[in-house]
Amino acid sequence: MIVITAPTGNIGRRLLSLLVEAGPALRVIVRDPARLPEAVRERVEVVTGSHGDAATVERAFTGADAVFWLVPPDASLTPDEAYSGFTRPAARAFAAHGVGHVVGVSALGRGTPQAARAGLVTASLAMDDLIAGSGVAYRALASPSFFENLLEEADSIRENGVFTDTVAADRPAPLVAVADIASTAAGLLLDRSWTGVGSVPVLGPQDLSPDDLARIMTEELGRPVRYRRQPLGELRSTMLGYGLNEAFVEGMVDMKRAKDQGLDSGVDRSPQAGPATGFAQWCAQTLKPAVLARAEAVDAP
């Protein structure tokens, strides 16, 4: 029995599709079962609720052999509350129910000079330590920023030819497609011959700077795209203007600063277990249809 948390999110829904295809016994924790595709609902056991709730994880982890763990960050909480606080009931349930293996989505940066002051990443690494301390065999999928973050910029790319981030224009980083994270997770959950605690970097095939991304997007979209670097102070004031928790906002700002200082750099590019989707391929398959779809919607009579 494999339990999947956050099965309707970007990573979880892709992972769920892969595991349904593979055929193991599956159980999902979901707040709203109606968000699961009907064909999937018929093939999985559903536990309704939040995987941050003690009673919910007690039900879900009974008889479970392995768990996929993903915390959806809650910007109304402090970073520690959003990661370790949310995970603590599950860590107790892992131990109480003898869950053998856990695969979790985490972040790059452990062992770097920036790790202790990287905001949300620091909180994510502390969550990994909490899970590891429960006695399970654990693999943290150490991920950089996602290609999919650019989907939030689709309107700006279409209307203004601009995307925004806070790192230097020439700062390279190993961005990744969420499909590759899901694929790596599926491999670990289906073949549980691994033991102990470890980190598995999941990286794109090459490090790319914002200027590199702009060049590739220009080529793939067939329209000029440029990068605008947003000052950290502007990011902070914008997020606070949305009414987000001040400590969470500072955690986001600290993470962005750490990434600009090289938090994600210098990772050993030894062959990884799963696939590595190139950015040009992702642009053609995912970003371009999103940009064009929105353009067509605007242009429609």
Side-chain angles (χ1 to χ4, degrees):
M1 174 63 73
I2 299 173
V3 178
I4 303 174
T5 65
T8 60
N10 270 339
I11 299 173
R13 61 187 171 84
R14 290 173 170 84
L15 172 62
L16 183 56
S17 176
L18 292 171
L19 293 180
V20 165
E21 188 101 5
L26 297 174
R27 183 181 294 156
V28 301
I29 306 175
V30 62
R31 292 177 184 269
D32 180 7
R35 293 186 61 196
L36 294 168
E38 185 175 350
V40 168
R41 287 201 303 272
E42 297 171 354
R43 300 180 62 178
V44 301
E45 182 182 338
V46 177
V47 174
T48 304
S50 165
H51 54 294
D53 175 68
T56 300
V57 292
E58 283 291 327
R59 295 199 310 274
F61 296 163
T62 299
D65 301 298
V67 173
F68 172 72
W69 185 254
L70 188 154
V71 170
D74 186 341
S76 70
L77 303 174
T78 70
D80 181 68
E81 291 168 344
Y83 284 91
S84 290
F86 188 94
T87 301
R88 200 160 281 117
R92 290 193 291 264
F94 293 151
H97 294 285
V99 174
H101 294 75
V102 176
V103 175
V105 175
S106 187
L108 289 177
R110 186 177 292 277
T112 66
Q114 297 82 20
R117 54 183 188 280
L120 301 186
V121 169
T122 304
S124 181
L125 299 177
M127 176 196 71
D128 293 336
D129 294 339
L130 175 65
I131 295 173
S134 70
V136 298
Y138 181 55
R139 289 295 180 271
L141 303 182
S143 308
S145 299
F146 305 156
F147 292 158
E148 279 70 13
N149 294 345
L150 285 165
L151 292 174
E152 299 175 8
E153 305 274 334
D155 286 342
S156 179
I157 292 169
R158 172 176 52 80
E159 295 169 7
N160 307 310
V162 175
F163 73 102
T164 303
D165 201 352
T166 61
V167 301
D170 60 353
R171 163 64 71 182
L175 287 76
V176 69
V178 295
D180 293 351
I181 299 173
S183 179
T184 302
L188 290 166
L189 290 165
L190 292 170
D191 178 8
R192 298 192 295 275
S193 57
W194 44 277
T195 60
V197 173
S199 179
V200 178
V202 187
L203 313 174
Q206 63 184 135
D207 289 7
L208 296 169
S209 69
D211 280 347
D212 294 327
L213 299 180
R215 172 180 52 78
I216 295 170
M217 281 190 275
T218 296
E219 294 169 356
E220 293 298 326
L221 299 180
R223 62 181 68 195
V225 178
R226 62 182 175 85
Y227 173 62
R228 183 182 83 86
R229 186 180 187 185
Q230 181 183 36
L232 287 174
E234 180 184 308
L235 173 66
R236 178 188 290 108
S237 61
T238 298
M239 295 181 71
L240 290 174
Y242 293 144
L244 306 183
N245 182 289
E246 185 174 354
F248 190 94
V249 170
E250 289 305 320
M252 175 67 77
V253 169
D254 288 345
M255 177 183 72
K256 292 286 192 178
R257 180 183 296 110
K259 285 179 179 288
D260 192 40
Q261 294 171 347
L263 178 73
D264 293 345
S265 302
V267 184
D268 180 14
R269 283 192 172 276
S270 56
Q272 62 187 40
T277 301
F279 183 66
Q281 175 189 349
W282 180 85
C283 279
Q285 294 177 345
T286 304
L287 182 62
K288 186 173 184 178
V291 171
L292 293 181
R294 297 189 190 197
E296 290 167 1
V298 169
D299 294 339

